[in-house]
Amino acid sequence: MSEVYNHKIVEKKWQKVWDDEKAFKVENDYSKPKYYALVEFPYPSGQGLHVGHPRPYTALDIVARKRRMQGYNVLYPMGWDAFGLPTENYAIKNKIHPKVVTKNNVQRFKEQLHALGYSFDWDREINTTDPNYYHWTQWIFLKLFKAGLAYKSEMPINWCTSCKVGLANEEVVNGVCERCGSEVVRKVKSQWMLKITEYADKLIEGLDSVDYVEKVKVSQKNWIGKSEGAEVDFIVKGKEEKLRIYTTRPDTLFGVTYMVVSPEHPMIEKYKEDIKNWNAVVEYKEMAAKKSDFERAELAKEKTGVVLDGLTAINPVNGKEIPIWISDYVLMTYGTGAIMAVPAHDERDWEFAKKFGLPIIEVVAGGDVQNEAFTNVATGTIVNSDFLNGLEVADAKKKIIEFLSEKGIGEKKVNFKLRDWVFSRQRYWGEPIPIIACDKCGYVPLEESELPLELPEVDSYMPTDNGESPIAAMTDWVNTTCPCCGGPAKRETDTMPQWAGSSWYFLRYTDPDNNEALASKEALNYWLPVDWYNGGMEHTTLHLLYSRFWHKFLYDNKIVPTSEPYQKRTSHGMILGENGEKMSKSRGNVVNPDDIITEYGADTLRTYEMFIGAFELSASWSEDGVKGCRRFLDRVWKLQDMITDDLEYSSDLETKMHQTIKKVSADFESLKYNTAIASMMALINEFYKKNQVTKGEFKTFITLLNPVAPHITEELWSILGFEGKIYQATWPEFDEEKTVENTIEIAVQINGKTKGTIAINREEAKEDVIAKAKEEIADKLTGTIVKEIYVPGRIVNIVQK
RNA sequence: GCGGAUGUGGCGGAACUGGCAGACGCGCUAGACUUAGGAUCUAGUGGGAGACCGUGCAGGUUCGAUUCCUGUCAUCCGCACCA
């Protein structure tokens, strides 16, 4: 009899062996077929690994291990996305250098990941905070700058009125500062921006060539939010100024009854003198400044606004004079910051008009516009619109745009919801932006030879009270000479956002120690694109889009060989607490992976996280479920007491063996880890029924299980004395013909309801099957038979009246 | 508000291009082994005494719907300076 399985000894033992052998070190061996599997590198937080982390890591570890067994040269790397706010805040609070905090956190994470037995190639570990790494982050920034894709712009930031620092959105809770509870307002600051909008069309088009799960593609498309419409100039009465608006519905131009501009719109200040209710306007502007864009759009059940008393606009198509309002539902960041309001055919305009008693004019027939906005564009016909009358919406759009262009009062315009990327942070713990500001020469890029531009040591990590990065206080570092004219100049003191380092990290893994380039051409040509990239849905619109943008830019500059970075993208669901809520300290439902590894073992944790449910959906933690997986592995362990010397499959299990190999192989590649494990459980249940398993069956079985539970299977492999190590074994093959059973049981239905079953031969002729079926349900065949249906190998359905 | 998803036993979840709903696991019940069992093994387990009824709800298409269509309700997630 075998002893009880001791995971503590076995897991440590094999982890050491794999380390000593450098089992998963991968060479740039260009003669072998490559496979690049990638998971999002973690932010090494102070809390240590969360049970959510192992879910995606195990999933791709399974794929990586399986692919190695199938003869691929597999790159499965890991690193640290270590710049960021929590580390900096921790450093401020505890007066420890963020570098030290990061080092400690990384070490803890690494130990935890190591204890899970992942097949990462640790020789390729990277860290975004390493100057040898951010050298190249800065280098890419310089390329973007030189290409005109990085520019400075006035952008609002969250400003705590008490701490006098800029805050991240996350640090603003219910409109007040998370730390001190004081009011947070929006303050305009000059910021570095990246022109991602320049790549908006390419980012949409590129989606056609990649294999992403559909919801990721849809999310990205919606985020980019391409819409086709028109810009139209309205005339401000009595002024030279034209007020330009953007609309997706130029066909409704005759239905305009008022205009709305965003509270930040520059025309308001410009015509200050003409506005009679200036105090009310100022008051409204102040109120709006306190809200984020999100809050403004959020559940805005009650529309608010103030009319600009003294200013009116002229509708360019019919000369009508209409009022101009300000309201916070119009955002300065989308379109032109001004809209024409057509209450009859837009819900927000309709609500606004109802509230303030503004007229509603129907211009598309088909609805009851006094009672609700009619927004259906598919069926409408234009009315009350002069030369557009009688046209369908789509035709009217074309005609009005032609008209506007001819008259020079408007034009067709494609707009994107996507906004340029705010690339500045007034923080310490980020990559310095390698730009020098010179009074004479403007913004001058640092010479490439000067990179990396390292973060200076500072006394305090707290932002200065005028909202600048703590680096600004380091005058020795800040004051420099202009590379262009040699005169006195100042370094940029803002740093890059955390997203910078993660926008290209997958390139660095291909050649992590290169000091001449971000990676060699040969390495990039061989490894790119990433074959399979898995990450969270929450990164779909930011990280994933940002990194595609950088990659496309690098591709256009012939630095990388592929137009898309990732061939395939999948997404895992969250792991929730036992109570079905998100795990959090405040809810007290956090599970620590270390505890699970100690008590049940890494293999159990890996198995459980794969078995917990559909990979793409969120799932609740269950300690009983963990126990069930441990029981499964114990049953696997005990199989060694029922092994026979037979190296073949036994005849009664041959079909089952081939079916299982087929199913497990396919499921591992299609995110169906839960059903792969279920089928392996079903297989050992068969062994247990017979109380016997052949050596051949056992060898195949543990090979299939190895990617999921690498330690226990390595130990069993060694106990049985199979050759070499299991991680070097060959993936089992199946014979398609042998997966098919000859005799099968099928259901017999009457009018679609199952009444019995019959056993048939797969090849049996229809007549024979139907005859058999009728015999089976003879006593229930009481009516007239109308139809007899036989779907080969599936079902018989007798339709009777 | 905009966008994305999800609703199936007591619970987590299966079900290929529409074809025996509930695989696999948990829990529960009974039995075996045992001084003992919170270990292990074996059997059973959607509801109903039954004809039958059952995949959020209401319709529809079909010989046949968890799967397709229309409407509806509920829940969860993201929203650009958290990562």
Side-chain angles (χ1 to χ4, degrees):
Chain A
M1 282 294 280
S2 58
E3 301 200 1
V4 173
Y5 176 58
N6 185 328
H7 64 267
K8 287 185 187 168
I9 294 170
V10 170
E11 292 181 350
K12 281 238 169 61
K13 169 182 165 187
W14 290 107
Q15 283 161 13
K16 183 165 189 312
V17 170
W18 298 331
D19 286 347
D20 293 346
E21 292 184 353
K22 291 220 176 254
F24 307 112
K25 183 174 169 59
V26 56
E27 304 291 345
N28 289 353
D29 178 351
Y30 304 142
S31 66
K32 279 165 89 182
K34 66 98 181 181
Y35 194 82
Y36 188 173
L38 183 68
V39 287
E40 287 169 348
F41 61 163
Y43 175 71
S45 73
Q47 280 87 49
L49 209 66
H50 180 273
V51 285
H53 286 111
R55 199 182 195 192
Y57 301 166
T58 307
L60 284 218
D61 194 45
I62 289 170
V63 174
R65 286 174 178 272
K66 169 174 169 280
R67 291 274 178 163
R68 275 188 211 103
M69 289 171 144
Q70 290 176 319
Y72 288 89
N73 195 27
V74 174
L75 174 55
Y76 187 43
M78 182 42 78
W80 317 104
D81 189 13
F83 277 128
L85 202 56
T87 300
E88 184 165 341
N89 287 343
Y90 183 89
I92 292 170
K93 210 169 165 187
N94 299 286
K95 308 222 182 314
I96 305 174
H97 197 289
K99 216 187 274 178
V100 177
V101 179
T102 299
K103 191 168 171 251
N104 293 342
N105 290 351
V106 162
Q107 194 180 340
R108 168 114 189 267
F109 262 69
K110 200 171 169 179
E111 280 164 14
Q112 289 180 302
L113 291 178
H114 192 258
L116 276 154
Y118 291 128
S119 64
F120 296 128
D121 177 358
W122 286 109
D123 287 351
R124 290 175 185 250
E125 175 182 353
I126 58 172
N127 185 324
T128 55
T129 65
D130 179 350
N132 290 326
Y133 180 89
Y134 69 67
H135 178 154
W136 301 103
T137 311
Q138 292 172 331
W139 184 83
I140 296 170
F141 178 83
L142 289 181
K143 291 268 181 243
L144 286 159
F145 178 80
K146 288 170 190 165
L149 291 170
Y151 64 99
K152 275 235 162 174
S153 171
E154 298 280 309
M155 287 298 292
I157 61 166
N158 300 310
W159 180 257
C160 173
T161 48
S162 165
C163 307
K164 301 212 184 304
V165 296
L167 300 176
N169 284 350
E170 194 188 56
E171 298 175 295
V172 183
V173 180
N174 300 324
V176 301
C177 173
E178 184 187 44
R179 306 174 222 203
C180 70
S182 308
E183 189 178 63
V184 174
V185 297
R186 284 151 68 76
K187 183 175 175 175
V188 169
K189 232 191 153 292
S190 174
Q191 311 244 51
W192 282 101
M193 306 284 292
L194 293 186
K195 231 183 250 179
I196 188 173
T197 49
E198 189 118 314
Y199 277 77
D201 270 319
K202 281 190 179 178
L203 288 167
I204 294 175
E205 285 159 20
L207 291 173
D208 292 336
S209 66
V210 290
D211 172 24
Y212 290 6
V213 287
E214 197 53 31
K215 61 180 173 180
V216 169
K217 286 192 185 185
V218 171
S219 286
Q220 290 216 341
K221 274 183 197 154
N222 287 329
W223 185 260
I224 296 168
K226 184 175 183 170
S227 73
E228 292 181 25
E231 285 192 350
V232 185
D233 289 326
F234 281 61
I235 296 149
V236 182
K237 193 183 173 192
K239 309 283 171 191
E240 288 303 304
E241 174 103 3
K242 286 169 181 164
L243 182 51
R244 174 156 277 225
I245 60 96
Y246 173 74
T247 177
T248 55
R249 296 293 306 274
D251 52 302
T252 61
L253 207 40
F254 287 90
V256 176
T257 57
Y258 60 97
M259 299 185 75
V260 187
V261 297
S262 150
E264 298 86 10
H265 200 284
M267 74 160 280
I268 302 171
E269 287 293 331
K270 194 167 173 185
Y271 297 123
K272 194 174 170 178
E273 305 302 321
D274 300 276
I275 299 170
K276 294 173 192 157
N277 58 339
W278 183 246
N279 287 346
V281 169
V282 168
E283 200 177 305
Y284 190 81
K285 278 166 68 90
E286 278 171 6
M287 191 195 79
K290 289 176 192 167
K291 294 190 197 170
S292 66
D293 286 0
F294 174 45
E295 284 170 318
R296 286 184 183 195
E298 182 187 29
L299 309 171
K301 284 177 191 120
E302 267 308 272
K303 291 279 180 290
T304 59
V306 174
V307 70
L308 296 180
D309 190 5
L311 289 179
T312 53
I314 306 294
N315 186 334
V317 290
N318 58 12
K320 270 194 193 167
E321 185 174 343
I322 51 174
I324 306 174
W325 288 67
I326 59 172
S327 175
D328 63 8
Y329 79 92
V330 176
L331 305 176
M332 201 59 221
T333 47
Y334 183 70
T336 61
I339 62 158
M340 62 179 215
V342 187
H345 306 290
D346 180 279
E347 271 167 43
R348 286 168 307 176
D349 296 348
W350 189 88
E351 279 172 37
F352 193 85
K354 275 285 169 189
K355 172 153 181 187
F356 294 105
L358 295 157
I360 298 170
I361 300 174
E362 177 181 62
V363 288
V364 183
D368 176 7
V369 298
Q370 296 308 320
N371 285 315
E372 61 175 342
F374 179 70
T375 56
N376 186 334
V377 295
T379 61
T381 306
I382 305 291
V383 294
N384 299 328
S385 300
D386 197 347
F387 60 91
L388 297 179
N389 284 341
L391 294 173
E392 295 296 310
V393 168
D395 297 332
K397 268 188 193 171
K398 270 184 216 151
K399 190 158 179 181
I400 188 79
I401 288 169
E402 275 170 30
F403 175 82
L404 293 169
S405 318
E406 269 171 35
K407 300 273 175 186
I409 48 176
E411 62 201 356
K412 185 173 177 170
K413 170 83 182 180
V414 172
N415 230 329
F416 297 96
K417 275 197 199 123
L418 183 68
R419 310 204 290 256
D420 277 342
W421 176 4
V422 183
F423 202 69
S424 295
R425 300 290 184 272
Q426 292 72 46
R427 292 282 175 171
Y428 176 74
W429 197 226
E431 301 89 343
I433 293 175
I435 294 286
I436 290 167
C438 170
D439 286 341
K440 280 189 208 147
C441 314
Y443 294 111
V444 182
L446 210 62
E447 292 294 328
E448 282 182 19
S449 59
E450 301 284 310
L451 298 180
L453 173 60
E454 294 199 31
L455 269 174
E457 296 289 330
V458 298
D459 301 328
S460 159
Y461 311 110
M462 194 68 187
T464 64
D465 59 10
N466 58 4
E468 286 180 322
S469 156
I471 301 172
M474 306 309 294
T475 45
D476 287 354
W477 187 86
V478 173
N479 293 321
T480 183
T481 50
C482 173
C484 193
C485 69
K490 285 183 190 303
R491 292 188 194 279
E492 172 61 58
T493 60
D494 282 358
T495 52
M496 300 187 196
Q498 169 277 337
W499 307 111
S502 61
S503 288
W504 70 281
Y505 74 112
F506 54 93
L507 301 175
R508 190 65 176 170
Y509 285 135
T510 66
D511 192 10
D513 300 318
N514 197 319
N515 286 321
E516 308 299 315
L518 52 77
S520 74
K521 283 258 184 270
E522 294 73 32
L524 292 170
N525 280 333
Y526 177 64
W527 287 112
L528 290 184
V530 172
D531 293 282
W532 185 344
Y533 187 26
N534 184 81
M537 263 322 268
E538 69 276 20
H539 291 121
T540 301
T541 48
L542 299 180
H543 160 63
L544 194 62
L545 205 60
Y546 290 155
S547 63
R548 289 184 61 227
F549 160 46
W550 276 32
H551 196 83
K552 286 185 173 298
F553 168 73
L554 294 174
Y555 175 70
D556 287 347
N557 286 274
K558 306 204 167 17
I559 294 160
V560 296
T562 59
S563 67
E564 284 287 338
Y566 319 114
Q567 181 50 39
K568 172 174 174 173
R569 168 78 181 191
T570 56
S571 234
H572 57 271
M574 257 194 301
I575 292 189
L576 306 171
E578 295 241 14
N579 56 1
E581 291 173 14
K582 212 169 169 172
M583 281 191 194
S584 70
K585 264 191 266 175
S586 59
R587 291 190 178 92
N589 59 354
V590 176
V591 176
N592 182 345
D594 293 343
D595 298 341
I596 305 298
I597 293 172
T598 305
E599 192 167 353
Y600 303 100
D603 282 343
T604 301
L605 179 58
R606 293 169 61 113
T607 306
Y608 175 64
E609 294 219 7
M610 293 300 96
F611 187 62
I612 190 168
F615 184 67
E616 297 200 74
L617 303 180
S618 53
S620 303
W621 187 265
S622 153
E623 179 121 10
D624 281 336
V626 176
K627 286 180 191 162
C629 289
R630 169 65 197 218
R631 193 173 299 159
F632 164 62
L633 295 180
D634 282 333
R635 278 162 72 82
V636 171
W637 182 252
K638 284 185 288 185
L639 282 175
Q640 58 180 298
D641 298 326
M642 30 178 121
I643 297 178
T644 69
D645 288 334
D646 194 351
L647 290 170
E648 304 297 315
Y649 299 157
S650 46
S651 58
D652 55 334
L653 282 184
E654 193 180 35
T655 305
K656 186 90 181 170
M657 289 301 299
H658 285 270
Q659 285 173 341
T660 306
I661 297 168
K662 184 181 178 181
K663 178 149 185 67
V664 171
S665 304
D667 284 358
F668 279 174
E669 296 281 342
S670 53
L671 305 176
K672 294 164 89 176
Y673 308 99
N674 53 339
T675 52
I677 292 168
S679 71
M680 288 190 275
M681 287 172 168
L683 181 61
I684 71 160
N685 288 346
E686 297 292 327
F687 299 151
Y688 268 79
K689 259 183 214 159
K690 294 167 61 182
N691 200 29
Q692 183 184 305
V693 54
T694 70
K695 204 166 183 177
E697 288 161 356
F698 187 75
K699 187 176 183 182
T700 295
F701 172 74
I702 60 172
T703 311
L704 292 178
L705 183 62
N706 172 260
V708 180
H711 309 86
I712 191 173
T713 48
E714 194 75 80
E715 179 73 7
L716 286 166
W717 185 270
S718 136
I719 290 171
L720 269 283
F722 294 126
E723 201 185 329
K725 303 285 182 340
I726 194 170
Y727 75 79
Q728 300 158 322
T730 304
W731 189 250
E733 303 211 351
F734 63 92
D735 185 341
E736 183 67 47
E737 276 179 27
K738 289 184 177 164
T739 63
V740 183
E741 267 156 314
N742 290 325
T743 28
I744 47 171
E745 195 175 74
I746 62 165
V748 180
Q749 303 182 325
I750 294 176
N751 298 345
K753 306 247 184 228
T754 304
K755 300 293 176 185
T757 58
I758 51 171
I760 60 158
N761 189 297
R762 189 171 284 279
E763 305 297 320
E764 218 163 315
K766 179 179 175 180
E767 298 74 42
D768 300 342
V769 173
I770 298 238
K772 235 187 231 179
K774 281 183 178 165
E775 196 180 320
E776 170 69 20
I777 51 159
D779 53 325
K780 290 173 182 120
L781 284 173
T782 48
T784 323
I785 295 173
V786 190
K787 206 172 177 184
E788 293 166 345
I789 296 160
Y790 172 53
V791 182
R794 295 228 185 263
I795 205 160
V796 175
N797 189 12
I798 310 288
V799 184
Q800 69 172 12
K801 272 188 187 164

